[in-house]
Amino acid sequence: KIPAADRTHAEEIEAARLSNDQLLIVLEADKALALMHEDGSAVALPEALAQTRADMRQVAARLSRAQVDPTTQAIEEDILAALEEMIGVLQRAMDQRADRRRLRTRSQSGSPQEEPLVDQLSELKMIRSLQMRINRRTERYAQLLDNKAAESGELLDALRQLAQRQAEIHRIARDLDLGRNE
């Protein structure tokens, strides 16, 4: 809320502190991503977390340079929305597993099978969300291009990252279709 011209060294220090906090969250995301890769049954959820982790790193880098502009804030909002969505998907999957276990316990039939982390419908919804995030970010960057409000080098890097994310979405959709997550 403080105009750039009116910011003091105290605001720069606070931005640096927030950058360090963001990097600690990145470490937690790394641990969660390792667990998802170890499970191996989901393809969209780990990609969503990997993209969110990349956003976290981008926000940390921007904060370390005291860039607390609307772009940084919008990326942070994307991170929060993605985390909330992933938590919701995982919570529903845990609830479904608990329901299936209760049914198995009551019927006392069959041995427990290895269950996927999330079901295929959740994976498809996650792919859709990833695509929507890319679309929103592309629109945001297009506005920056129109307004000439961004440095061209940084914006070009961001656009390249979006293109890579689009390619990853294509790959995970293909993997899901071919059953490579099973």
Side-chain angles (χ1 to χ4, degrees):
K1 293 182 180 180
I2 300 171
D6 296 341
R7 292 184 192 142
T8 65
H9 187 62
E11 281 85 16
E12 290 176 6
I13 291 172
E14 181 63 16
R17 187 191 64 73
L18 290 171
S19 174
N20 287 335
D21 290 348
Q22 189 73 43
L23 289 173
L24 292 174
I25 297 169
V26 169
L27 292 175
E28 294 300 319
D30 287 339
K31 293 174 189 176
L33 192 56
L35 290 172
M36 285 184 197
H37 283 303
E38 185 178 307
D39 174 72
S41 65
V43 290
L45 195 60
E47 180 59 28
L49 183 56
Q51 288 185 11
T52 303
R53 180 187 61 183
D55 287 345
M56 291 173 187
R57 286 182 176 152
Q58 184 180 11
V59 166
R62 293 178 67 84
L63 288 172
S64 72
R65 296 188 303 267
Q67 288 179 296
V68 291
D69 56 9
T71 299
T72 303
Q73 294 171 23
I75 295 169
E76 190 66 40
E77 288 172 8
D78 287 348
I79 291 168
L80 293 172
L83 290 173
E84 287 173 2
E85 184 176 10
M86 285 183 272
I87 289 168
V89 166
L90 290 170
Q91 186 62 52
R92 283 189 298 278
M94 288 172 38
D95 293 345
Q96 290 171 352
R97 279 186 179 182
D99 290 345
R100 285 191 294 269
R101 284 187 194 128
R102 279 192 290 271
L103 288 173
R104 270 198 308 259
T105 303
R106 288 182 190 151
S107 66
Q108 296 292 332
S109 65
S111 61
Q113 297 176 331
E114 185 70 27
E115 296 181 39
L117 183 61
V118 293
D119 63 4
Q120 193 166 15
L121 181 59
S122 295
E123 289 270 89
L124 290 172
K125 287 179 180 180
M126 189 61 61
I127 290 171
R128 180 177 175 266
S129 293
L130 288 169
Q131 185 63 58
M132 290 173 63
R133 277 197 281 283
I134 287 174
N135 293 348
R136 280 192 305 271
R137 183 100 33 110
T138 301
E139 289 172 7
R140 214 176 296 134
Y141 291 157
Q143 289 174 353
L144 290 175
L145 283 173
D146 291 342
N147 298 334
K148 308 265 190 274
E151 297 176 18
S152 61
E154 183 179 351
L155 188 56
L156 286 175
D157 287 341
L159 291 171
R160 278 189 210 100
Q161 289 174 0
L162 283 178
Q164 291 171 344
R165 287 181 179 194
Q166 186 64 55
E168 282 300 308
I169 289 174
H170 177 263
R171 181 192 60 78
I172 62 174
R174 188 183 65 238
D175 287 352
L176 194 59
D177 180 49
L178 296 174
R180 292 185 181 157
N181 61 320
E182 297 172 357

